[in-house]
Amino acid sequence: MEYDSDTISNFSIPLGEPISRQNKCLVIASVMIAIVIITAIVVPTTIILTKMKNNTTTTTNITTREIPVNKIETTFQTLLTTEEIITTPTEEFDCHQYIFPLNNSNEVSLYSVFIYDFDQNNRPDIININYFSRTIDIFFSFETFFRLQQISISHIKSPVSISMSDINKDSTNDIIILDARNKITVFSHDKNNTLSKLTDFIIDDSQLVFIKTADMNHDQYDDIIVGYTHDLKLTIYFNDQNGNFLNSTTVDSITSIVKLIEIADINGDEYVDIIVLYQDVKEIDILLNDGTGQVTHDQTISSAGTPESLAINDMDMDQNLDLIVAYSNPNEVIIYFNRNNRFIENSILLIDQKPDSLAVGDITGDQKPDISILCFDSQNIKTFFHASNWNATRHMTFPFGYQINFIGLVNVRSMNFFDIFVTDYTDLNFNILSTECT
C-alpha cells in the first residue's frame, strides 16, 4: 500500500531533560508550552541548568539559538538536571559521576535505540523507535541540553531496525526503516526538518533481522546491507544515485547465521569492509571489499568463547583500526590489534558476567579510547580505562540501581570527551552518566 508523504507528521519538541526517577532526582523539570501552529515559525527558548556539587548550587541561564520549526503540533520544554550520584576513591585516582536523566514529558517506550549525529553538529544524537506511540523520537544534542523531535510512523507495521544515512546526497541525513513485513522505507529529511517518503521496497525473501548503510561500491552514495534471521547470507542493495535500490549482490562468504556486522575500512584502502559476528559460531570473519561492492573472506578469528558484541577503534593510537570483542563462556573482552592488516590477540580483560554490548570512546578527556561494558541483566556499567598495557589497565564499576538494556556514548558536559548513555529497562527511561576522574 502506498502512502502519501503528507500523511507523515513531523513536529519538534525543544527538550532538555526528564523527570525519570521522581524520588531520586535532586531537581525536577518543568513542562510547559502547548502550541498548535500550521505554518512555519521561529521559536526562541530558554532553559536553566542547575548543578549540585559539594553542597553548593550554581544556576546558569542558557538561551538556545532560535529554532525554525515546521508543522508544529505541540511543544514542550523541560530542564536538563544533574545530580551527583557517587564519589569513588581508588588507589590511583578519584572519580565523580553525575546522572543526567533524559526522557520526554510523555511515557517513553523503548523498541530500538540508535546513536548517530543526525543533524551533523559533531554531537551524537539519540534516535529511538517508540513502538507504542508509533514515532521516531530524535533527541538532538546541543550544548548542555537536548531537543526532541518526534516523527510519526503510524503507517509502518512493526518496525524492526533503523539506520541513518544521506541517501540522496542533499547534505542532510535520511532515515531508513525495516519493518516486520520485510519492507524497507527510506524517508528523505531536508534542512527544514520535514520528512517525506523517498522510496520503499519489499524484499521477497526470508525474514530480515537488521539493516546497515554504507557506500559499498565507492560511488559516493550509500547502499543498504541486510541480514537475515535464518539464511546464511548478507545482501547488498546498491543505490542507483536516485535513491532507488534496484540492483543487489549476495555475500557468499558467510558461514553461519549472522548476529551482527560492523562496517569500517580495516585495511586502509579507502573501501569499507565488513566484520561479521555469528549467532552460534565461535568465529569472527573479516570480509574485504574490492571497491565495487564485492567482498571476499580475508581472515577468521577463532576463540574459546562465544562472541556477543563488537566495537572498532584505534586502541593503541597507531592510526590503524583494532577490534574489541566481548565474549561469553568465558566472560571476557579481547582486544585484537591490527598489525599489517592482520588481527593479533594482545589483551584480555576479564569480566564477571555475560557481556551484552560495548561502547568504546574517550570518557575521561585524555584523548584516548576507554572501554565500557554492559552485561546481561546488569545494573552496572564496567569501564576499563585506556592504558599502554591493557592487561594492567585500571577499571571501575558504575552502579545505576536498575536494570540497563542499552549503552552508547553522547556528549553532555563537554565536546572533549564522551558521556555514557544508558536505557532503564524497568522504567523505560533514558539516563546519561558523566564522569570526572583525576
Side-chain angles (χ1 to χ4, degrees):
M1 180 177 181
E2 294 297 324
Y3 295 90
D4 191 282
S5 61
D6 290 339
T7 65
I8 304 170
S9 65
N10 179 11
F11 59 96
S12 176
I13 300 179
L15 175 136
E17 185 341 58
I19 313 174
S20 69
R21 297 182 133 52
Q22 291 150 347
N23 295 328
K24 294 182 180 180
C25 292
L26 296 181
V27 182
I28 303 295
S30 65
V31 181
M32 60 185 62
I33 307 177
I35 305 174
V36 178
I37 298 182
I38 303 285
T39 57
I41 63 170
V42 174
V43 181
T45 62
T46 301
I47 62 174
I48 299 176
L49 174 67
T50 303
K51 180 173 181 179
M52 303 188 70
K53 181 179 179 183
N54 298 328
N55 298 321
T56 62
T57 301
T58 58
T59 301
T60 305
N61 289 313
I62 302 170
T63 302
T64 73
R65 56 179 161 178
E66 291 187 338
I67 306 168
V69 182
N70 283 335
K71 299 182 182 177
I72 293 184
E73 294 185 0
T74 308
T75 63
F76 298 88
Q77 178 179 307
T78 67
L79 305 182
L80 181 62
T81 62
T82 71
E83 173 189 353
E84 183 172 0
I85 58 172
I86 189 170
T87 301
T88 308
T90 70
E91 294 181 358
E92 300 182 63
F93 64 115
D94 291 338
C95 278
H96 301 265
Q97 295 99 51
Y98 300 90
I99 195 73
F100 294 75
L102 175 66
N103 66 357
N104 63 19
S105 60
N106 300 312
E107 183 177 348
V108 174
S109 56
L110 302 180
Y111 189 75
S112 176
V113 182
F114 195 81
I115 304 294
Y116 190 78
D117 182 11
F118 189 71
D119 56 355
Q120 302 176 30
N121 67 345
N122 296 317
R123 290 179 177 270
D125 306 306
I126 303 166
I127 299 95
N128 173 52
I129 297 181
N130 193 324
Y131 181 75
F132 293 103
S133 67
R134 308 297 292 275
T135 60
I136 300 173
D137 300 343
I138 305 178
F139 293 83
F140 289 100
S141 177
F142 295 91
E143 186 177 358
T144 69
F145 74 99
F146 285 82
R147 188 180 78 239
L148 172 63
Q149 178 177 333
Q150 290 187 307
I151 302 168
S152 173
I153 52 171
S154 59
H155 58 290
I156 293 182
K157 303 294 185 182
S158 303
V160 172
S161 182
I162 185 172
S163 187
M164 308 282 164
S165 174
D166 182 7
I167 292 294
N168 54 359
K169 303 299 290 183
D170 63 352
S171 300
T172 59
N173 282 311
D174 308 309
I175 299 175
I176 305 94
I177 297 178
L178 165 69
D179 67 26
R181 299 176 299 176
N182 278 13
K183 184 177 182 179
I184 295 176
T185 305
V186 180
F187 294 104
S188 175
H189 174 258
D190 64 26
K191 294 180 180 179
N192 294 320
N193 281 334
T194 57
L195 200 74
S196 59
K197 189 180 72 174
L198 180 64
T199 188
D200 59 22
F201 58 99
I202 294 178
I203 298 176
D204 186 15
D205 209 331
S206 63
Q207 183 62 51
L208 306 184
V209 67
F210 66 79
I211 54 175
K212 290 271 191 176
T213 52
D215 180 11
M216 298 302 298
N217 57 356
H218 205 60
D219 65 351
Q220 309 305 314
Y221 285 80
D222 281 356
D223 311 301
I224 298 176
I225 305 96
V226 302
Y228 301 83
T229 53
H230 301 296
D231 280 359
L232 313 186
K233 66 180 182 179
L234 296 170
T235 304
I236 302 171
Y237 288 86
F238 294 106
N239 189 340
D240 68 356
Q241 302 187 10
N242 291 311
N244 299 308
F245 299 86
L246 305 176
N247 298 317
S248 65
T249 186
T250 299
V251 178
D252 297 321
S253 49
I254 299 298
T255 60
S256 185
I257 296 174
V258 176
K259 180 176 184 177
L260 62 89
I261 64 171
E262 293 294 342
I263 300 175
D265 179 10
I266 291 297
N267 58 355
D269 63 356
E270 299 185 357
Y271 306 139
V272 291
D273 310 304
I274 302 176
I275 302 89
V276 182
L277 262 65
Y278 295 107
Q279 290 278 13
D280 301 309
V281 177
K282 297 180 179 180
E283 294 178 345
I284 299 170
D285 278 342
I286 312 298
L287 311 179
L288 296 185
N289 184 3
D290 67 359
T292 69
Q294 300 299 316
V295 297
T296 55
H297 177 268
D298 178 68
Q299 181 182 356
T300 295
I301 300 173
S302 300
S303 65
T306 301
E308 301 289 350
S309 184
L310 166 71
I312 301 173
N313 208 306
D314 181 7
M315 301 306 293
D316 53 357
M317 315 297 288
D318 67 349
Q319 308 303 311
N320 295 313
L321 292 176
D322 309 307
L323 304 183
I324 309 96
V325 185
Y327 292 95
S328 60
N329 299 316
N331 299 326
E332 59 189 13
V333 175
I334 298 180
I335 303 174
Y336 297 94
F337 289 101
N338 189 338
R339 301 289 183 256
N340 297 318
N341 301 324
R342 311 304 293 174
F343 290 96
I344 309 299
E345 177 184 319
N346 187 279
S347 297
I348 300 178
L349 311 175
L350 299 179
I351 51 180
D352 54 8
Q353 290 178 276
K354 180 181 178 180
D356 177 87
S357 54
L358 297 169
V360 178
D362 176 22
I363 67 170
T364 61
D366 63 358
Q367 308 305 309
K368 298 176 182 178
D370 310 299
I371 302 174
S372 296
I373 305 164
L374 168 63
C375 294
F376 281 101
D377 300 325
S378 177
Q379 298 185 1
N380 304 320
I381 296 295
K382 189 166 189 174
T383 295
F384 291 88
F385 296 100
H386 190 279
S388 56
N389 178 8
W390 276 98
N391 290 316
T393 182
R394 304 170 298 176
H395 61 85
M396 290 188 66
T397 298
F398 301 127
F400 281 82
Y402 51 83
Q403 187 175 333
I404 303 166
N405 65 342
F406 179 84
I407 182 174
L409 298 178
V410 296
N411 297 107
V412 173
R413 289 193 304 114
S414 174
M415 287 292 292
N416 297 322
F417 57 84
F418 287 110
D419 305 295
I420 299 174
F421 168 78
V422 301
T423 58
D424 181 344
Y425 178 80
T426 304
D427 291 342
L428 300 179
N429 286 329
F430 300 161
N431 287 290
I432 298 169
L433 177 72
S434 190
T435 303
E436 292 178 352
C437 296
T438 57

